[in-house]
């Protein structure tokens, strides 16, 4: 992140601290009808108008850093294979053998020259084309050039890899344009093409995807819900939010922030005192910290069901036992906190919605990232996303207070 951006955010945070631990605020409260968290019709609209129309973040470039590196995953009901080709380009395919539908790759891996289906050993190049079927005589007359892994639109920008399920309506898309200049600037400075996956966890809950996503959209709760776990690490009622068009940046403040009082401004470093929570529409939160990155992708699986993919990355893999223990502890704390505290609240909220009360969720002005995300969802549903065209950071500190 550019130095002047860091200082601009720090100035706002310090202003909040001096002002008595105030926080960025939206102009108004927001009321979100809770029927939208259980209605099958609304869910179908969200699939059709949001998840099948917008690029979806699938992994970091570091997951597929070199030719032959690949990851597999299920997304939107489609088995996917993402691989970097010999030409350095990242592509996505349906992970579906064109003989009889088995997956041609499992999990993730490095340095593959080709993908060989485990069922009858048909093999495919890294660009998805079929090399040949086995038992050539049995398939005499098959047009080999026609039988590749079906491509899924894919693009890479600033260390992030996206796919799209728009199909024929949008066979190509521009990930840089989707992110916008400010996010591209920030992510390019972080070097995600070199990040390494430490661990990943997939959790399916009987919760609407928005309720799950909302867990990551405000710092307000940290002081209360996480009082016995991670609250001591943060100043949770003091954060900033930048409206970046369809996306947003909520900057969480670490408890070390008051060290700045004793430092001249030219020595201030944002990353020592902040957690940058990037909200990438429609369903990903990427938290950039000084020594690691947490990625949360929330995938809808039904009106009241979703899958949360949690991934922890670091700039390099641990090379000592001590480092391994450190990351194991980090991962355990993170996953335990989220599963036993945040997701427990999400479960309760969904239970309440299913039981018919409250009729609306009430988002406070002190929860600007939450309100912004819901405004973006509504705009995407209405086909009015141009109202949220990529823009330079726009602080939402309309007023600050408690
Ligand atoms: Fe893949 Fe038969 S299903 S080779």
């Amino acid at each position: 992140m550019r130095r002047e951006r860091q200082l601009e955010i720090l100035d706002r945070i310090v202003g909040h601290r001096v002002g008595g631990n105030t926080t960025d605020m939206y102009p108004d409260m927001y009321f979100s009808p809770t029927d939208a968290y259980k209605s099958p019709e609304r869910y179908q609209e969200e699939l059709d108008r949001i998840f099948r129309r917008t690029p979806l973040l699938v992994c970091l470039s570091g997951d597929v850093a070199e030719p032959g590196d690949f990851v597999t995953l299920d997304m939107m009901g489609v088995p996917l294979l993402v691989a970097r080709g010999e030409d350095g380009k990242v592509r996505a395919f349906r992970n579906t053998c064109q003989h009889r539908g088995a997956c041609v790759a499992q999990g993730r891996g490095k340095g593959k020259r080709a993908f060989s289906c485990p069922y009858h050993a048909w093999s495919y190049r890294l660009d998805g084309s079929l090399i040949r079927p086995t038992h050539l005589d049995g398939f005499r007359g098959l047009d080999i050039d026609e039988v590749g892994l079906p491509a899924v639109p894919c693009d890479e920008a600033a260390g992030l890899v996206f796919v799209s399920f728009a199909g024929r309506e949008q066979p190509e898309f521009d990930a840089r344009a989707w992110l916008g200049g400010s996010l591209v600037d920030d992510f390019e400075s972080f070097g995600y093409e070199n990040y390494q996956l430490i661990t990943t966890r997939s959790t399916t809950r009987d919760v609407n995807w928005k309720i799950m996503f909302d867990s990551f959209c405000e710092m307000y709760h940290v002081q209360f819900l996480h009082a016995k776990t991670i609250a001591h690490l943060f100043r949770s009622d003091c954060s900033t939010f930048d409206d970046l068009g369809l996306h947003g940046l909520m900057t969480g403040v670490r408890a070390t922030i008051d060290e700045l009082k004793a430092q001249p401004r030219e020595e201030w470093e944002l990353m020592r005192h902040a957690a940058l929570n990037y909200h990438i529409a429609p369903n990903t939160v990427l938290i950039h910290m000084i020594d690691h990155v947490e990625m949360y992708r929330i995938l809808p699986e039904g009106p009241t069901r979703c899958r949360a993919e949690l991934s922890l990355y670091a700039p390099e893999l641990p090379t000592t036992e001590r480092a391994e223990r450190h990351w194991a502890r980090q991962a355990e704390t993170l996953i335990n906190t989220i599963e036993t505290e945040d997701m427990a609240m999400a479960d309760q909220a969904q239970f309440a919605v299913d039981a018919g009360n409250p009729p609306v969720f009430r988002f406070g002005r002190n929860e600007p990232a939450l309100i912004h995300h819901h405004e973006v969802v509504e705009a995407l549903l209405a086909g009015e996303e141009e109202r949220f065209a990529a823009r330079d950071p726009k602080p939402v500190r309309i007023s600050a207070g408690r």
Side-chain angles (χ1 to χ4, degrees):
M1 180 185 273
R2 283 180 291 113
R3 177 80 184 139
E4 59 269 31
R5 274 282 287 144
Q6 294 185 34
L7 286 174
E8 186 266 326
I9 291 172
L10 277 171
D11 283 339
R12 285 158 60 199
I13 292 170
V14 169
H16 283 315
R17 293 293 293 149
V18 171
N21 219 27
T22 55
T23 191
D24 277 8
M25 304 261 266
Y26 233 51
D28 299 300
M29 283 193 294
Y30 183 96
F31 300 94
S32 180
T34 49
D35 196 48
Y37 301 84
K38 62 180 177 183
S39 153
E41 294 77 23
R42 162 79 183 214
Y43 174 71
Q44 193 58 48
E45 285 175 9
E46 289 176 347
L47 290 188
D48 294 343
R49 298 188 196 169
I50 300 178
F51 286 89
R52 295 202 179 103
R53 278 184 52 215
T54 63
L56 302 174
L57 183 60
V58 71
C59 63
L60 297 188
S61 295
D63 285 305
V64 284
E66 302 291 337
D69 294 356
F70 71 95
V71 295
T72 63
L73 64 160
D74 296 339
M75 209 169 178
M76 302 299 297
V78 174
L80 271 187
L81 165 62
V82 179
R84 191 173 297 275
E86 302 284 0
D87 56 359
K89 184 173 164 49
V90 180
R91 296 179 179 83
F93 312 101
R94 284 181 179 257
N95 186 9
T96 304
C97 180
Q98 297 300 291
H99 177 218
R100 280 168 53 199
C103 292
V104 302
Q106 297 281 349
R108 55 173 51 227
K110 295 198 167 294
K112 277 270 189 191
R113 304 291 296 275
F115 297 103
S116 177
C117 178
Y119 203 171
H120 312 89
W122 286 28
S123 51
Y124 299 84
R125 297 181 185 85
L126 297 177
D127 67 1
S129 58
L130 177 65
I131 298 173
R132 60 177 174 277
T134 47
H135 207 301
L136 276 175
D137 211 20
F139 293 92
R140 191 181 303 152
L142 182 75
D143 185 348
I144 288 178
D145 293 338
E146 289 290 306
V147 190
L149 299 174
V152 175
C154 177
D155 195 26
E156 180 179 27
L160 307 177
V161 180
F162 293 84
V163 296
S164 162
F165 293 92
R168 272 191 223 115
E169 278 179 31
Q170 190 195 53
E172 290 190 351
F173 65 92
D174 180 346
R176 286 182 88 81
W178 174 247
L179 285 172
S182 177
L183 280 182
V184 167
D185 263 9
D186 286 3
F187 293 146
E188 282 185 339
S189 74
F190 298 148
Y192 288 157
E193 54 281 359
N194 299 316
Y195 270 64
Q196 306 283 329
L197 181 72
I198 301 292
T199 191
T200 188
R201 169 80 141 249
S202 178
T203 307
T204 299
R205 307 287 273 225
D206 289 329
V207 168
N208 178 272
W209 73 275
K210 298 187 297 299
I211 287 183
M212 187 66 82
F213 192 89
D214 291 351
S215 311
F216 300 98
C217 286
E218 38 85 11
M219 298 290 292
Y220 173 35
H221 72 282
V222 174
Q223 61 198 311
F224 307 112
L225 181 62
H226 303 310
K228 294 191 177 136
T229 49
I230 58 167
H232 64 286
L233 299 173
F234 295 96
R235 299 279 176 221
S236 90
D237 213 3
C238 170
S239 55
T240 61
F241 179 69
D242 291 289
D243 172 347
L244 302 171
L246 290 165
H247 319 294
L249 168 60
M250 177 178 76
T251 302
V253 178
R254 295 177 65 84
T256 56
I257 191 70
D258 291 335
E259 291 173 12
L260 292 186
K261 285 183 201 155
Q263 274 181 0
R265 185 173 182 270
E266 56 273 18
E267 290 177 16
W268 289 359
E269 285 181 38
L270 177 64
M271 290 318 305
R272 288 178 54 78
H273 307 291
L276 304 181
N277 291 242
Y278 289 96
H279 296 158
I280 303 172
N283 69 330
T284 301
V285 177
L286 207 146
I287 305 180
H288 187 89
M289 310 269 279
I290 192 165
D291 62 344
H292 73 272
V293 165
E294 298 160 25
M295 184 162 82
Y296 303 95
R297 291 180 307 121
I298 312 302
L299 297 162
E301 294 203 334
T304 58
R305 191 170 175 81
C306 71
R307 179 158 47 97
E309 300 275 351
L310 324 178
S311 300
L312 174 66
Y313 294 87
E316 58 183 25
L317 287 174
T319 53
T320 62
E321 276 185 26
R322 188 161 174 240
E324 274 176 23
R325 282 198 303 276
H326 165 76
W327 286 118
R329 271 197 311 273
Q330 283 274 100
E332 192 185 332
T333 303
L334 196 65
I335 289 168
N336 277 349
T337 303
I338 287 172
E339 289 190 351
T340 62
E341 297 181 351
D342 296 283
M343 290 187 181
M345 292 299 104
D347 290 343
Q348 291 179 19
Q350 188 66 53
F351 189 41
V353 166
D354 293 347
N357 186 271
V360 293
F361 287 142
R362 299 162 174 95
F363 303 155
R365 296 172 57 222
N366 57 327
E367 303 175 285
L370 186 58
I371 297 176
H372 179 261
H373 183 253
H374 281 260
E375 288 187 342
V376 165
V377 166
E378 295 304 323
L380 288 169
L381 273 178
E384 295 173 354
E385 55 266 37
E386 68 282 355
R387 287 200 291 115
F388 288 84
R391 60 178 64 131
D392 287 337
K394 185 175 141 202
V396 299
R397 188 171 54 165
I398 305 301
S399 63
R402 298 200 74 173

